Amino acid sequence: MEKDVPRLGLESFANENFKVPLLNVELYPLDAKYFSVENRERYPVKDYISPNRRQFYKIFHMTAGTGVLTVGLHQYLMNAGEIAFLHPDEIMSWQTTSAETGGHFCLIHPDYFTQETHLLQLFRNYPFFQPANAVVQLTEAQSANINRSFEQIWEEDRGQNEDKKQAILLHLQMILLESQRAGRNLVNSAVPDNYRYIHGFLSLLESNFQVKTTDDVVKMKTAGEFADQLNVHPNYLNTLVRNQTGKTLREHIQDRLLYEAKVLLLQTDWDINAISYTLGFSEHAAFTSFFNKKEHISPSRFRKNALLQVNI
């Protein structure tokens, strides 16, 4: 059966592409804190696409500037006075469309709510952590209130008060409440077809890395197999992904494999043989060779160095 190959030429889909040359694919740092908050004036916004399994809820409030936020397959043209809610399981991207920027964002890992299970349930059930309802339009007064809450969270996070977590959680609840009172979802539009293919590839790639135990084995696919699942020609998909992210399909596959290797080395006590097997390598030596080629260090030394830094 002949594959249904898109007929859109490279020049055509380039013209329909994002206005910026590249969106860097960013995976969250392995040593990320369970909670962090940043001010956009101090933490410059950059254009990127983040696969799912980020493990963090993200809330992003804009006080100045414009940009294009894509959550799942929904695209939003954001302006000042709007707030976005991003669920950990959704692929998202951000493209800045103005020189001006302002506002805050925070990242919250579910484990931050260890002693506050009712708040974790609040986040899980909050209606705006859904791709089709992810951005809320605020009145000027509501935006000002939320900005003050973020400023207080920022100060508490960097302060020395023993009860600062309690204060942060209270302000977070006020942000959710103020946004829900506004209740005005920004109209979204469907993403371009080219983005759908990038989204589809990253989603399929992530689905291969559902490692929970040593019995789970990553079934690594080739670029051709990913293209086949998306019903497109491998060359078309590879060109599209390379033009948008700066890397080929093969490079993305290897980067994701390396990231998972680091996760298992740093966050489990599995021996190298078990990790090698889980990641789909035929033998320990093949895994060590792959890791050493990418990181210029052996997996065992990488793990030991990380442990030494923790103990210093």
Side-chain angles (χ1 to χ4, degrees):
M1 180 176 175
E2 186 176 352
K3 190 182 298 297
D4 183 16
V5 181
R7 301 301 180 188
L8 191 64
L10 294 184
E11 290 185 4
S12 298
F13 81 67
N15 291 333
E16 295 181 12
N17 229 338
F18 291 96
K19 296 176 183 177
V20 292
L22 295 175
L23 286 173
N24 291 321
V25 176
E26 291 192 353
L27 296 162
Y28 277 76
L30 294 173
D31 59 350
K33 298 185 299 181
Y34 282 167
F35 177 83
S36 62
V37 59
E38 295 293 348
N39 185 313
R40 277 302 185 196
E41 294 177 1
R42 299 179 178 87
Y43 195 93
V45 70
K46 53 185 175 180
D47 303 324
Y48 69 101
I49 182 169
S50 174
N52 51 333
R53 247 190 96 181
R54 296 188 313 277
Q55 298 182 328
F56 290 88
Y57 289 93
K58 185 173 184 177
I59 304 176
F60 174 27
H61 176 233
M62 290 182 63
T63 58
T66 60
V68 179
L69 174 69
T70 306
V71 187
L73 295 175
H74 299 267
Q75 194 169 88
Y76 298 88
L77 305 180
M78 287 190 66
N79 294 277
E82 295 170 351
I83 187 168
F85 297 88
L86 308 175
H87 192 279
D89 292 339
E90 293 296 335
I91 293 176
M92 59 82 62
S93 70
W94 174 258
Q95 171 199 347
T96 302
T97 56
S98 68
E100 190 179 18
T101 183
H104 297 80
F105 74 88
C106 65
L107 303 173
I108 310 111
H109 192 286
D111 287 348
Y112 189 65
F113 302 109
T114 302
Q115 304 299 324
E116 296 83 10
T117 54
H118 65 290
L119 291 181
L120 177 57
Q121 201 61 30
L122 174 63
F123 269 65
R124 286 175 173 167
N125 296 330
Y126 193 67
F128 301 144
F129 281 114
Q130 300 293 330
N133 303 315
V135 180
V136 177
Q137 293 177 299
L138 307 168
T139 65
E140 187 175 342
Q142 290 166 337
S143 183
N145 288 340
I146 285 176
N147 191 56
R148 279 194 292 272
S149 290
F150 265 115
E151 288 176 343
Q152 290 171 314
I153 289 173
W154 192 92
E155 291 175 1
E156 289 286 353
D157 185 56
R158 286 152 177 78
Q160 301 300 319
N161 293 322
E162 293 184 1
D163 59 355
K164 69 178 185 179
K165 181 178 179 179
Q166 181 180 355
I168 288 171
L169 292 174
L170 288 172
H171 289 304
L172 279 175
Q173 290 178 79
M174 288 304 301
I175 289 173
L176 297 186
L177 177 61
E178 193 77 59
S179 300
Q180 194 156 4
R181 283 176 174 175
R184 296 166 54 217
N185 291 105
L186 182 66
V187 176
N188 65 81
S189 59
V191 299
D193 285 343
N194 56 342
Y195 187 91
R196 284 180 179 272
Y197 287 122
I198 296 171
H199 177 277
F201 165 66
L202 291 175
S203 182
L204 288 173
L205 180 61
E206 282 294 320
S207 69
N208 284 340
F209 291 94
Q210 304 300 316
V211 177
K212 303 294 184 184
T213 72
T214 53
D215 293 327
D216 298 320
V217 179
V218 172
K219 294 179 176 62
M220 186 52 61
K221 293 181 174 62
T222 65
E225 288 173 315
F226 281 114
D228 188 61
Q229 284 186 271
L230 295 171
N231 199 33
V232 295
H233 195 283
N235 292 345
Y236 176 88
L237 183 62
N238 193 59
T239 301
L240 180 60
V241 170
R242 186 181 67 245
N243 284 356
Q244 192 61 75
T245 68
K247 292 184 177 181
T248 64
L249 296 174
R250 184 172 183 273
E251 287 172 324
H252 281 296
I253 293 168
Q254 291 198 339
D255 285 351
R256 187 59 185 85
L257 183 61
L258 179 64
Y259 180 82
E260 193 71 16
K262 291 180 179 179
V263 168
L264 298 178
L265 287 167
L266 298 181
Q267 298 181 6
T268 75
D269 59 358
W270 303 352
D271 62 39
I272 304 299
N273 282 328
I275 293 175
S276 174
Y277 170 78
T278 296
L279 294 178
F281 288 91
S282 58
E283 55 186 20
H284 174 284
F287 171 56
T288 299
S289 176
F290 165 80
F291 196 94
N292 191 62
K293 182 178 179 180
K294 292 291 184 179
E295 290 294 300
H296 308 293
I297 190 174
S298 70
S300 57
R301 175 53 61 184
F302 176 84
R303 172 180 270 173
K304 288 177 182 177
N305 288 351
L307 291 173
L308 284 173
Q309 291 176 1
V310 170
N311 294 325
I312 289 176

